[in-house]
Amino acid sequence: MKLAICDNENADLLHIKKLVLEYSKKNNYFFDIYTYQDYNKLLEEIIDFNYIILDVLLEDLTGIQLAKQIHDINKDIKIIFCSINPEYSIEAFEVNAFRYLVKPIDKQKLFEYLDEIRKNEKESQIDLLDYQRKKCTFNILDICYIDMIGRLSTIHFKNKFTITVRKTMKDWILLLNNYNFHLTHKGVLVNLKYVSLIEKEIVILKNGDSVYLSRKYRKEFEEKFMNMLGDML
């Protein structure tokens, strides 16, 4: 699982990474760790992550302010804030902080939070067989959209990777009912959190792809999208 760590202090950045690696080894669980001192670089790549460990005191803004920008891009990202000052914890939870750590970081407390991340990740994972009968395991939150060709459905992920499986659109709608997926027409199911722009008959997605939006589904799709944006405010 990909995990981002953002802290403008290199020593703290390396220390947190060391603790996560220790946890990984202890629990035989792989975290694909990416570290950032430059929060702008993190913002450029934020769509690739579902979890971030984020320092509150950055160079020219706070982690709280950055979290608002992050959630504008992806509201499902879970953020563990960390700071030498516990007084920011109230503000952190106002921007839907997953957890809050006070520096110097308590290793056991961090490990507890990483346990929770693993639990959450497992709950949103599904196992399917692709059309060649090979087992695939992936996170529902990483799906950008699904389209149907005949009896095959192709899953398009946020990193543009694709998997083709034998599964009907009806089955997908039932499976993803609680995850903000909606039809743009009868053969395409889109994850609203990856919608960048709606232009007449086209929906432009954050991974660079675009899909057709039919007249039949346009009104409902636009309403669902606007409701999702309203929930993010």
Side-chain angles (χ1 to χ4, degrees):
M1 190 195 74
K2 295 181 74 170
L3 172 72
I5 305 171
C6 182
D7 196 310
N8 64 326
E9 294 293 337
N10 189 54
D12 288 344
L13 197 66
L14 294 176
H15 178 61
I16 296 170
K17 181 178 180 180
K18 180 181 178 182
L19 291 177
V20 175
L21 288 172
E22 182 181 335
Y23 174 91
S24 298
K25 184 176 181 180
K26 178 180 178 182
N27 293 277
N28 194 29
Y29 185 85
F30 177 70
F31 280 103
D32 192 8
I33 305 168
Y34 291 75
T35 57
Y36 301 86
Q37 284 186 270
D38 181 356
Y39 67 82
N40 288 303
K41 184 67 174 176
L42 171 63
L43 279 176
E44 291 174 7
E45 301 173 356
I46 200 65
I47 198 169
D48 289 334
F49 300 101
N50 290 325
Y51 297 93
I52 307 168
I53 299 176
L54 178 63
D55 187 28
V56 170
L57 299 176
L58 301 171
E59 286 189 2
D60 55 355
L61 85 172
T62 67
I64 311 297
Q65 294 168 315
L66 181 61
K68 293 177 182 177
Q69 296 181 47
I70 289 171
H71 284 145
D72 283 343
I73 301 170
N74 184 350
K75 73 181 183 69
D76 292 320
I77 287 178
K78 302 290 191 302
I79 301 175
I80 298 176
F81 286 99
C82 53
S83 175
I84 58 173
N85 198 332
E87 72 180 26
Y88 286 101
S89 60
I90 295 175
E91 291 182 65
F93 285 104
E94 287 177 353
V95 291
N96 297 318
F98 179 64
R99 292 292 180 266
Y100 194 97
L101 286 165
V102 177
K103 294 180 179 179
I105 289 174
D106 182 307
K107 181 173 76 171
Q108 190 56 44
K109 185 63 68 175
L110 173 61
F111 282 13
E112 289 176 11
Y113 295 165
L114 294 176
D115 280 340
E116 291 185 55
I117 285 177
R118 288 175 59 198
K119 182 174 182 284
N120 287 346
E121 190 75 3
K122 185 175 181 180
E123 289 174 352
S124 59
Q125 280 186 339
I126 56 174
D127 296 320
L128 290 175
L129 297 176
D130 70 11
Y131 74 102
Q132 295 178 323
R133 310 296 294 173
K134 294 180 181 178
K135 183 180 177 181
C136 304
T137 300
F138 54 87
N139 193 313
I140 289 173
L141 300 177
D142 293 336
I143 299 174
C144 193
Y145 67 102
I146 299 164
D147 60 13
M148 298 290 301
I149 300 178
R151 295 183 178 181
L152 297 178
S153 56
T154 299
I155 309 164
H156 299 257
F157 292 93
K158 61 186 182 182
N159 60 1
K160 306 204 82 166
F161 180 73
T162 63
I163 298 173
T164 300
V165 301
R166 296 184 185 277
K167 199 171 188 67
T168 67
M169 186 57 73
K170 182 179 179 180
D171 288 338
W172 280 119
I173 291 171
L174 288 172
L175 178 64
L176 303 175
N177 182 52
N178 296 321
Y179 289 92
N180 261 340
F181 282 78
H182 295 279
L183 292 166
T184 61
H185 70 90
K186 66 178 182 179
V188 178
L189 188 66
V190 169
N191 187 341
L192 291 181
K193 78 171 187 177
Y194 291 120
V195 173
S196 178
L197 187 65
I198 300 174
E199 289 187 344
K200 295 183 180 179
E201 298 180 346
I202 298 295
V203 176
I204 301 172
L205 302 165
K206 292 178 180 178
N207 72 344
D209 290 351
S210 58
V211 297
Y212 174 63
L213 177 60
S214 74
R215 181 179 300 177
K216 177 179 178 180
Y217 293 99
R218 183 180 303 142
K219 182 179 179 181
E220 182 179 3
F221 187 85
E222 289 177 343
E223 287 178 353
K224 296 292 186 182
F225 180 61
M226 295 307 296
N227 288 341
M228 184 200 72
L229 293 180
D231 290 341
M232 293 170 62
L233 298 177

